[in-house]
Amino acid sequence: MKPNFSLRLRIFNLNCWGIPYLSKHRADRMRRLGDFLNQESFDLALLEEVWSEQDFQYLRQKLSPTYPAAHHFRSGIIGSGLCVFSKHPIQELTQHIYTLNGYPYMIHHGDWFSGKAVGLLVLHLSGMVLNAYVTHLHAEYNRQKDIYLAHRVAQAWELAQFIHHTSKKADVVLLCGDLNMHPEDLGCCLLKEWTGLRDAYLETRDFQGSEEGNTMVPKNCYVSQQELKLFPFGVRIDYVLYKAVSGFYISCKSLETTTGNDPYSGTPLSDHEALMATLFVRHSPLQQNPSSTHGPAERSPLMSVLNEAWKELGLGMAQARWWAAFASYVIGLGLLLLALLCVLAAGGGAGEAAILLWTPSVGLVLWAGAFYLFHVQEVNGLYRAQAELQHVLGRAREAQDLGPEPQPALLLGQQEGDKAREQ
């Protein structure tokens, strides 16, 4: 790589709020989004909540002269809603669907049906390998009583692990998406601490946009004011995160958000604000890369967030076990009731009543059985994430017992630590 290597990347990210039949002015907003993306000509446009295949195909056709490469990540029943448009050829594509994603019986929330996922595309730009990720985590519907917190923490950990294991050959890592977490939330801290990703809003030299970088603001006419009653200036739940490895350095020159309005027409593109980041990548000696070494002073924040995540997953697992046990009791009672109805029907004394009660009793047993199986699956998913965290914590404690020497392979910099030992 030439010592004077330098590359500018312009990135666009937006949760498009494209729910068929429910999202207001969806067709008009998609049309204006296509016009805006063509005019601005970003290197990458990463979108969430493009639920309709028709909307994706419309955008693909409209944007094809400017963004010849495009992909729609499909999963779940109604799709992940994730799609990407790239000015550059996409070398590789894959996706990972999160193990846990809410509850199927919470139909009014709908997250379970969407198959939330993370999509990965690999680009080769002037000899540099860029891994770009786009994701959308489970929504937070009640901050005071968040029944999905354990699922979101598990998703954040799964996302962090996916990035960690798929970015070993990358020079630059980029993550965009709607994380549905505030910057100080447990899952967000876990993701950033484990991967070493940096927040464009905190790192940029030049920010223009909504106050505190918020991406859902009261000024936006599509936003429910009830949802933001505790946050008069809005919330920041959409992110551009990045890091450089293997002898590269990346910085955010500028970050801009919309402020409740389309920059051109004045009406919003979505109920979320768009993020537009200008990143610069340059060659840098490996020792100057802030992501490549992690000494003892950096263990404490990571250890703290890992412990907190482990405890939160434990609470979620206890709750899931309680629901599974409850469902098993209902199944037992339902089977006893069915047996009693069979006896009554055979005796003839209350045959008609027994027949009338037979169908709802069978329905109760089947419903309880499905409920039990789902929560057993939830227990296993939470256990898997907790076991991985337990392993990381155990290795970190072993490293501390070995003495004061840095053990980067046991915490964030596993790849760099392996290379150092090989040398």
Side-chain angles (χ1 to χ4, degrees):
M1 184 59 61
K2 297 179 180 179
N4 61 350
F5 173 86
S6 180
L7 180 70
R8 187 185 79 155
L9 290 172
R10 295 191 66 227
I11 308 298
F12 178 89
N13 178 75
L14 177 66
N15 179 320
C16 297
W17 191 47
I19 309 172
Y21 312 112
L22 295 178
S23 298
K24 298 178 181 178
H25 312 132
R26 191 181 98 249
D28 177 65
R29 290 188 290 106
M30 290 294 173
R31 176 186 59 79
R32 290 189 288 108
L33 174 61
D35 292 339
F36 178 76
L37 291 177
N38 274 330
Q39 183 163 344
E40 291 295 322
S41 188
F42 295 94
D43 289 283
L44 274 175
L46 303 107
L47 309 179
E48 303 88 54
E49 288 204 18
V50 180
W51 301 115
S52 167
E53 179 67 21
Q54 181 181 358
D55 287 343
F56 170 73
Q57 293 300 338
Y58 168 79
L59 287 172
R60 184 175 193 169
Q61 182 178 6
K62 185 172 185 123
L63 298 175
S64 58
T66 311
Y67 306 87
H71 185 73
H72 193 195
F73 295 97
R74 296 169 177 82
S75 65
I77 296 173
I78 63 174
S80 70
L82 306 174
C83 63
V84 295
F85 298 91
S86 173
K87 187 187 293 185
H88 312 280
I90 299 174
Q91 302 299 323
E92 299 178 44
L93 276 167
T94 190
Q95 69 176 349
H96 173 76
I97 302 171
Y98 297 122
T99 305
L100 299 173
N101 188 40
Y103 306 108
Y105 49 82
M106 302 293 281
I107 299 174
H108 58 297
H109 289 163
D111 292 72
W112 185 84
F113 298 93
S114 66
K116 296 286 178 68
V118 51
L120 162 63
L121 57 150
V122 180
L123 306 180
H124 293 174
L125 306 174
S126 303
M128 180 198 76
V129 179
L130 169 66
N131 274 27
Y133 301 83
V134 58
T135 193
H136 187 191
L137 302 192
H138 197 293
E140 177 187 79
Y141 294 97
N142 188 330
R143 194 161 181 82
Q144 286 69 42
K145 190 177 181 181
D146 187 3
I147 62 173
Y148 301 112
L149 178 57
H151 284 213
R152 201 178 305 105
V153 171
Q155 287 181 344
W157 174 248
E158 212 167 327
L159 171 60
Q161 286 283 71
F162 181 74
I163 292 173
H164 173 72
H165 289 293
T166 58
S167 62
K168 294 183 183 297
K169 296 181 180 180
D171 299 310
V172 171
V173 177
L174 172 71
L175 170 64
C176 295
D178 177 5
L179 301 184
N180 275 310
M181 297 183 290
H182 299 203
E184 69 280 4
D185 285 356
L186 173 59
C188 196
C189 295
L190 177 66
L191 172 64
K192 291 191 285 188
E193 287 289 342
W194 182 243
T195 60
L197 290 169
R198 293 147 59 194
D199 190 334
Y201 172 71
L202 301 177
E203 301 285 337
T204 186
R205 305 170 189 172
D206 176 25
F207 174 75
Q208 298 180 17
S210 56
E211 188 167 350
E212 299 180 356
N214 292 327
T215 55
M216 291 193 77
V217 297
K219 186 179 179 181
N220 189 309
C221 63
Y222 295 130
V223 172
S224 168
Q225 301 304 311
Q226 180 69 18
E227 292 181 6
L228 295 181
K229 65 179 180 179
L230 298 177
F231 307 97
F233 300 109
V235 294
R236 185 161 78 95
I237 57 176
D238 303 86
Y239 297 84
V240 174
L241 305 174
Y242 59 83
K243 73 172 181 178
V245 293
S246 64
F248 287 85
Y249 178 79
I250 185 170
S251 60
C252 182
K253 181 181 179 182
S254 66
L255 178 68
E256 181 181 355
T257 73
T258 50
T259 56
N261 300 307
D262 180 320
Y264 299 143
S265 72
T267 54
L269 289 172
S270 171
D271 61 342
H272 287 238
E273 302 308 314
L275 290 164
M276 294 159 279
T278 301
L279 307 176
F280 275 89
V281 183
R282 61 177 174 82
H283 181 268
S284 177
L286 185 60
Q287 61 268 23
Q288 295 182 13
N289 187 345
S291 300
S292 57
T293 59
H294 303 276
E298 294 179 86
R299 293 180 192 165
S300 181
L302 176 61
M303 289 288 288
S304 177
V305 75
L306 288 173
N307 271 301
E308 190 176 350
W310 184 87
K311 293 176 183 176
E312 188 58 50
L313 292 176
L315 293 173
M317 196 156 51
Q319 184 71 13
R321 282 173 172 158
W322 187 93
W323 282 114
F326 172 78
S328 67
Y329 289 133
V330 174
I331 292 170
L333 290 174
L335 291 174
L336 286 174
L337 178 59
L338 287 174
L340 178 61
L341 293 176
C342 288
V343 171
L344 291 175
E352 294 182 1
I355 293 172
L356 289 175
L357 291 173
W358 177 264
T359 300
S361 299
V362 170
L364 176 65
V365 171
L366 293 176
W367 174 87
F371 196 84
Y372 172 80
L373 292 175
F374 173 80
H375 283 287
V376 167
Q377 181 192 34
E378 181 187 16
V379 170
N380 290 334
L382 291 169
Y383 177 82
R384 187 188 75 172
Q386 193 185 46
E388 291 177 2
L389 285 167
Q390 181 66 47
H391 176 74
V392 172
L393 288 166
R395 294 291 302 277
R397 293 189 185 102
E398 289 176 9
Q400 290 177 341
D401 292 340
L402 291 175
E405 291 298 318
Q407 298 289 328
L410 302 181
L411 296 175
L412 290 174
Q414 294 188 6
Q415 181 182 8
E416 291 76 15
D418 291 340
K419 291 179 180 177
R421 287 195 298 274
E422 289 173 3
Q423 295 173 352

